[in-house]
Amino acid sequence: MILIWGWRALRYVLGTGEFFCPQCGTDSPYQHLRQRRWFTLFFIPVIPLEHLGSFVECQRCRSAFTEAVLGAPTLGLLEYHQGLANRAAVAHLASLARPMGPAVEDVAASALASAPGVRPDYDRNALHADIRVFTGTDASAAYLRPLAGAMTVEGREAFLRRAAHVAATLPGKGPDMDRALESYALALDISQAHLLGIRQSVLESTPAPGNDL
Amino acid sequence: MSGAPAPAPAPAGARFNPPPSWPVPTGFDPRRGHLADPTWPAPPEGWNFWVADPTVGREGATLPSTRLPRGKLEAGERRRLALVLAGLLVVGVPLVWWAVTSEEPVAEGVGSCWTGDEWAEPVSCDSSEAVYTVEEEVTSPEQCSQSSPGYFEEGGTVLCLRKIG
């Protein structure tokens, strides 16, 4: 009687989704896989043996990566979170401006309409909705936190520069607005000294409120 | 404050299932720290944010039920094992039975039995066809006893026969 036996690694799909593939340089579908060795009898896996580890496989280029690759956001997600963070920061800064009025809304809405990740038709109605939901410095800063690990320091600096520019342009600057910017810097993992430099350079290049930008 | 509540923690092997009114970007997964837009409308009452991922399961197995939702995987694995065992039984039992019951090769030395026809063949001594048995093994026919009715010569060996019964 002939017995055909051997070992074989079977792949178990732990999950699927979309990730940023470093090999393709773009968003691609992935499979999160775990491998396990099986004892086979007549090519049929019969006895499960040791686990061989897990990894992430790009379904486009078939490259394999460690699971750390899933920590990086997709391009679509990065743009989404950039938009969310811009709206949270600007809407919250606008809510701190005194007196609140059409001039404030115009500054905030026009700043957001050209901000990365924000739809170009962003208007006052959208701003009103955002002011209602992005209340509180800490709550708004929470929407900036996902960018800390996803953007370069230059990108985060550019983000803070835009926020500082909006804060400098809005009327009624006070300690609340300063605290908001400090909280944003903290959420973006930017030091307070770095923020001071950013604010200084913005103030030097920003015209006084009431003048044309 | 927010129309979009944070989804509840995900069960293992689940896929995020956003409400139809949420324009989530591709790859959005709250387990990875992604935040819902608070201006998105509230989900329908009792909305299930997590559904079984239909792609979760074993890939590349030899049996067809390879991609099962994790919730059904336990049952699926039991069924797979049952199928393997049933297959082994179907193949193995007849093989073992055949191995046990098949006739062993008949010895041709001293004590072996042979048919009595012209083309004498070794047979089991229990067989009704057995007519002769090999009494002794010698090197020449002259060494066989006087009572021996015959002999076989194989190479340099002479098998002296004795009639059975």
Side-chain angles (χ1 to χ4, degrees):
Chain A
M1 179 174 171
I2 299 172
L3 275 179
I4 302 174
W5 56 275
W7 287 274
R8 176 178 174 191
L10 288 182
R11 291 149 44 119
Y12 184 93
V13 181
L14 297 172
T16 58
E18 193 97 3
F19 82 134
F20 177 76
C21 174
Q23 183 69 26
C24 302
T26 187
D27 294 347
S28 301
Y30 74 85
Q31 277 192 332
H32 187 190
L33 299 162
R34 188 178 66 201
Q35 279 195 315
R36 187 168 197 178
R37 198 189 300 280
W38 283 69
F39 173 78
T40 62
L41 202 56
F42 294 106
F43 307 105
I44 299 171
V46 180
I47 303 170
L49 302 174
E50 79 270 28
H51 286 289
L52 300 175
S54 50
F55 61 97
V56 175
E57 186 183 79
C58 174
Q59 297 301 286
R60 192 193 303 266
C61 66
R62 298 286 166 189
S63 300
F65 305 95
T66 63
E67 286 148 326
V69 79
L70 295 181
T74 60
L75 295 176
L77 268 165
L78 185 59
E79 190 182 6
Y80 164 77
H81 269 130
Q82 267 187 298
L84 204 55
N86 273 308
R87 284 166 46 211
V90 174
H92 181 239
L93 288 173
S95 73
L96 298 175
R98 297 289 179 273
M100 172 61 106
V104 170
E105 292 173 0
D106 282 346
V107 168
S110 67
L112 282 173
S114 60
V118 181
R119 53 191 167 87
D121 59 342
Y122 191 90
D123 57 10
R124 281 188 186 187
N125 290 334
L127 179 69
H128 290 156
D130 280 349
I131 288 175
R132 278 196 298 276
V133 295
F134 295 115
T135 54
T137 303
D138 291 341
S140 300
Y143 289 93
L144 277 63
R145 216 158 280 135
L147 299 182
M151 288 175 79
T152 61
V153 70
E154 291 84 1
R156 285 176 279 148
E157 182 182 312
F159 184 97
L160 268 186
R161 188 180 299 280
R162 274 194 303 276
H165 185 272
V166 170
T169 313
L170 290 171
K173 289 179 285 296
D176 284 351
M177 229 173 254
D178 292 341
R179 271 197 293 274
L181 286 175
E182 286 164 10
S183 181
Y184 298 164
L186 195 66
L188 290 172
D189 210 9
I190 295 277
S191 71
Q192 294 303 309
H194 195 163
L195 173 66
L196 196 64
I198 292 169
R199 294 190 70 183
Q200 194 64 40
S201 72
V202 167
L203 286 174
E204 286 167 5
S205 62
T206 304
N211 296 351
D212 291 334
L213 290 175
Chain B
M1 164 195 144
S2 159
R15 184 172 56 81
F16 182 61
N17 176 40
S21 54
W22 286 19
V24 294
T26 53
F28 185 91
D29 189 339
R31 287 171 294 196
R32 290 160 65 183
H34 306 152
L35 300 171
D37 188 329
T39 59
W40 286 343
E45 187 74 24
W47 180 260
N48 193 6
F49 281 101
W50 300 103
V51 293
D53 189 344
T55 61
V56 171
R58 187 169 297 143
E59 183 192 58
T62 51
L63 296 170
S65 56
T66 53
R67 290 185 173 221
L68 293 172
R70 196 179 177 90
K72 295 179 184 171
L73 196 62
E74 295 299 318
E77 280 201 332
R78 277 200 297 274
R79 193 166 67 241
R80 195 194 317 276
L81 276 174
L83 279 171
V84 168
L85 288 174
L88 284 174
L89 280 174
V90 167
V91 175
V93 168
L95 277 173
V96 171
W97 183 82
W98 172 80
V100 168
T101 57
S102 62
E103 289 182 359
E104 289 183 11
V106 182
E108 297 182 3
V110 175
S112 62
C113 299
W114 298 74
T115 57
D117 51 17
E118 186 180 356
W119 301 101
E121 288 177 358
V123 292
S124 167
C125 292
D126 299 331
S127 169
S128 58
E129 291 178 284
V131 176
Y132 299 110
T133 181
V134 175
E135 196 173 43
E136 58 181 332
E137 214 174 282
V138 293
T139 52
S140 69
E142 290 79 22
Q143 292 172 295
C144 290
S145 69
Q146 292 295 320
S147 60
S148 176
Y151 59 89
F152 296 137
E153 198 165 357
E154 256 187 32
T157 307
V158 174
L159 303 173
C160 306
L161 300 178
R162 176 173 61 80
K163 195 156 183 168
I164 296 172

